[in-house]
Amino acid sequence: MEILLAIGVAMFAGLFLSRLTSKLNLPDVTSYLVAGVLVGPLVLGRLGIPGLGFDSMEFVEKMGLLCDVALGFIAFSIGGEFRISALRKTGRQATIIAVFQALAATVLVDLTLLGLHLILGEERLPVSTCIILGAIATATAPAATLMVINQYKAKGPLTNILLPIVALDDAVGLVVFAVSSGIARALISGSVSVISLLVNPMIEIFGSLLLGAAVGWVFSIVEKFFNSGSKRLSLAVAFVIICTALSKLRFHFESGLEIGFSSLLVTMMCSCIFCNLCDFSEEIMHKTERWTAPIYVLFFVISGAELDLTVFGDIVVVGIGVAYILSRSAGKIFGANVSAKLTRCEPTICKYLGITLLPQAGVALGMSVVVAAEFGEAGALIRNIVLFSVLIYELVGPLLTKMALTAAGEIKPKPVVHRDKV
C-alpha cells in the first residue's frame, strides 16, 4: 500500500506543481524534477509518514523498474526518428555532429580538470577521475529533450536533427566511457587490457544494435496479425518491455571478455527497424506517445527524488562540479557550432543546437554508478560531482532547450484568446 500511495502522491505533486509553474513558462520537466525533490527523502520523506513521499533513497531505488521501462519508451520514441526518408536528409550531418560535439566536450573537460589537478593535487583530484569525468561529459539526456519537444510540439530543422544526434550521442558516449575507464584502471593498477579498452565496448554497441534489430524485425511481423488499434498498442508496449528485459542480460568470461547490452540502444534499434518495415508504424508511435505520458511524469519525479542536495555541503565537489559544468557546456556548444558549420547546416541549427544538448541525467548517472562501485573513494567523488551537475543541468537544461527552440522559431507562442465583452 505504501508504495502505491507514494506513487500516487508523487504523480499528483508533479502535475500540481507543473500547473503552478506554467504561469512562469517553465517546462514541465523542471516542475516534475522539483516535485521529486519535495516528495523525496530530504523534504517530505523526512516526516516519516508512510506513503507521503519517499522516506529513503532505498525506497526510491525500489522504483528502478519503472524508470527502466520509462527509459525504454523514451528510446522507443527516439528510434522512430531514424526513418530512411529522414536519414537521407540529416543522417550524415547528425552523425558528424554527434561525434564531434561529444569528443569536444570530453577534451575540454579533460583539459580543465587536469588543470585543476595540478592545483589540488593527486589526493583531492586524481588524474583517473579527470579522465572518467571527461568521458561522462559526452552523455546527453534524451528524456528531457524529448519531453520539451513533445510538450511544446516543436517542429523544424533544428528539432529534426536534434533527436538523431541525442540518440547517436549515447553510442559515442558508451565507447568513450569504456575506453576512458579502461585507461583509468590502467593508471591505478599499472596494467592495460585491450579487451576492456576496445573489445567489450564494441561488443556492447554492436550486440545491442543486432539484438534490437532482431526484436524489431519480429515486432514488424507479429504486428500484422492484429487489426485492433488497442491490441497493436498493447503489443508495442509488450515489445518495449521485452527489449528492456533482454538488455539486462550479462555474460562474463574468465578472459575478461564481457557481453552486455545497452537498454537505450536495444530499444532504439527495435523502434528504428519497426518503423522502417511497418506501413502503419506512425499510427502506433503516435498512440504510444499518448499512452506513456503518465509514465514520463513518474519517471521525472523519481529522478528528482534521486537528486542528493547534500553534495552542496562539500566545497571541493561544488568547485569541481562548477568547472565540469562550464567546460562541458562550452565543449557541447563549441563542438556543435563548428561541426554544424562544417556540414553546412542552416544558421539556426549552427546557433542554437549546442544549447539543446546540455541536459544530462540517466546515462551519466548510470556511468557514475558503475564507476562508484569499481573505483572506491575516487568513484564516490565522481558520483557526487555527477549528482551535482545533473541537479543543475536537469533544472536549467530543459528551460534552455525551450528557449533555444523558441529562438529558432520552432516553438510557436500560444495564441492569445480575447473574449468578447457582453
Side-chain angles (χ1 to χ4, degrees):
M1 185 195 80
E2 290 181 17
I3 293 179
L4 290 176
L5 183 58
I7 290 175
V9 170
M11 292 185 69
F12 174 78
L15 292 169
F16 185 73
L17 192 61
S18 70
R19 181 65 178 169
L20 293 178
T21 56
S22 63
K23 297 180 180 179
L24 301 175
N25 291 321
L26 292 175
D28 287 346
V29 179
T30 304
S31 304
Y32 300 152
L33 289 165
V34 173
V37 173
L38 294 178
V39 301
L42 297 177
V43 186
L44 278 180
R46 285 203 167 202
L47 299 177
I49 302 174
L52 185 64
F54 307 121
D55 58 6
S56 65
M57 284 298 178
E58 289 74 19
F59 192 95
V60 177
E61 289 173 2
K62 292 180 181 179
M63 307 294 171
L65 182 62
L66 291 173
C67 291
D68 289 340
V69 173
L71 282 172
F73 281 109
I74 290 165
F76 188 74
S77 295
I78 293 175
E81 301 296 323
F82 285 88
R83 297 179 188 271
I84 294 177
S85 58
L87 289 178
R88 285 173 181 164
K89 299 178 182 178
T90 61
R92 174 179 164 276
Q93 292 175 323
T95 302
I96 293 174
I97 294 172
V99 174
F100 195 91
Q101 57 84 26
L103 295 180
T106 296
V107 171
L108 201 52
V109 169
D110 279 342
L111 292 176
T112 301
L113 295 186
L114 287 173
L116 271 181
H117 160 77
L118 297 176
I119 299 173
L120 297 176
E122 181 69 19
E123 291 187 4
R124 303 300 299 273
L125 183 59
V127 173
S128 57
T129 298
C130 301
I131 292 173
I132 292 175
L133 284 171
I136 294 176
T138 59
T140 301
T145 303
L146 183 65
M147 193 78 172
V148 172
I149 290 173
N150 288 342
Q151 179 187 349
Y152 296 102
K153 297 179 175 58
K155 291 181 181 179
L158 177 56
T159 302
N160 292 338
I161 200 172
L162 173 59
L163 289 175
I165 289 174
V166 170
L168 290 168
D169 191 72
D170 288 329
V172 177
L174 285 172
V175 176
V176 176
F177 176 72
V179 174
S180 297
S181 57
I183 293 173
R185 289 190 204 96
L187 289 173
I188 294 173
S189 64
S191 61
V192 179
S193 171
V194 176
I195 292 178
S196 62
L197 278 177
L198 298 176
V199 178
N200 287 342
M202 298 309 294
I203 289 177
E204 179 170 349
I205 291 171
F206 287 107
S208 298
L209 295 177
L210 287 173
L211 177 60
V215 177
W217 177 71
V218 174
F219 182 21
S220 66
I221 294 176
V222 174
E223 195 79 26
K224 296 177 182 177
F225 290 96
F226 298 89
N227 297 318
S228 167
S230 60
K231 289 183 179 179
R232 286 176 173 174
L233 171 61
S234 299
L235 193 64
V237 173
F239 269 87
V240 171
I241 295 174
I242 288 171
C243 285
T244 304
L246 291 177
S247 65
K248 299 294 182 183
L249 293 173
R250 292 288 184 275
F251 303 95
H252 301 273
F253 300 92
E254 293 182 0
S255 61
L257 186 69
E258 295 181 6
I259 298 178
F261 306 96
S262 163
S263 61
L264 288 173
L265 291 180
V266 171
T267 314
M268 184 186 71
M269 192 62 178
C270 170
S271 174
C272 174
I273 296 299
F274 169 71
C275 287
N276 282 288
L277 293 180
C278 182
D279 295 334
F280 46 83
S281 61
E282 288 190 17
E283 176 190 351
I284 299 298
M285 298 299 291
H286 179 69
K287 289 183 177 180
T288 303
E289 288 176 5
R290 293 178 64 87
W291 181 84
T292 53
I295 296 179
Y296 288 173
V297 174
L298 187 59
F299 169 74
F300 284 107
V301 174
I302 293 174
S303 298
E306 288 178 327
L307 298 177
D308 187 0
L309 301 181
T310 58
V311 296
F312 285 107
D314 190 334
I315 190 63
V316 174
V317 170
V318 172
I320 298 173
V322 169
Y324 170 85
I325 290 171
L326 294 177
S327 56
R328 176 183 177 271
S329 300
K332 288 280 183 180
I333 293 172
F334 172 78
N337 180 269
V338 171
S339 54
K341 288 180 178 178
L342 289 174
T343 53
R344 298 181 180 179
C345 291
E346 295 183 19
T348 53
I349 295 176
C350 299
K351 187 174 183 180
Y352 298 111
L353 177 61
I355 298 174
T356 65
L357 297 172
L358 295 184
Q360 189 174 47
V363 177
L365 287 173
M367 292 177 178
S368 70
V369 169
V370 173
V371 171
E374 186 175 348
F375 287 88
E377 291 184 8
L381 175 62
I382 293 171
R383 169 72 171 166
N384 286 336
I385 292 169
V386 172
L387 278 172
F388 172 80
S389 66
V390 165
L391 177 64
I392 303 301
Y393 274 127
E394 282 297 88
L395 293 177
V396 179
L399 180 59
L400 292 177
T401 299
K402 179 205 168 188
M403 292 170 63
L405 290 172
T406 302
E410 301 191 10
I411 293 179
K412 306 299 181 184
K414 293 182 179 180
V416 179
V417 179
H418 298 282
R419 295 183 179 179
D420 296 331
K421 295 181 179 181
V422 179

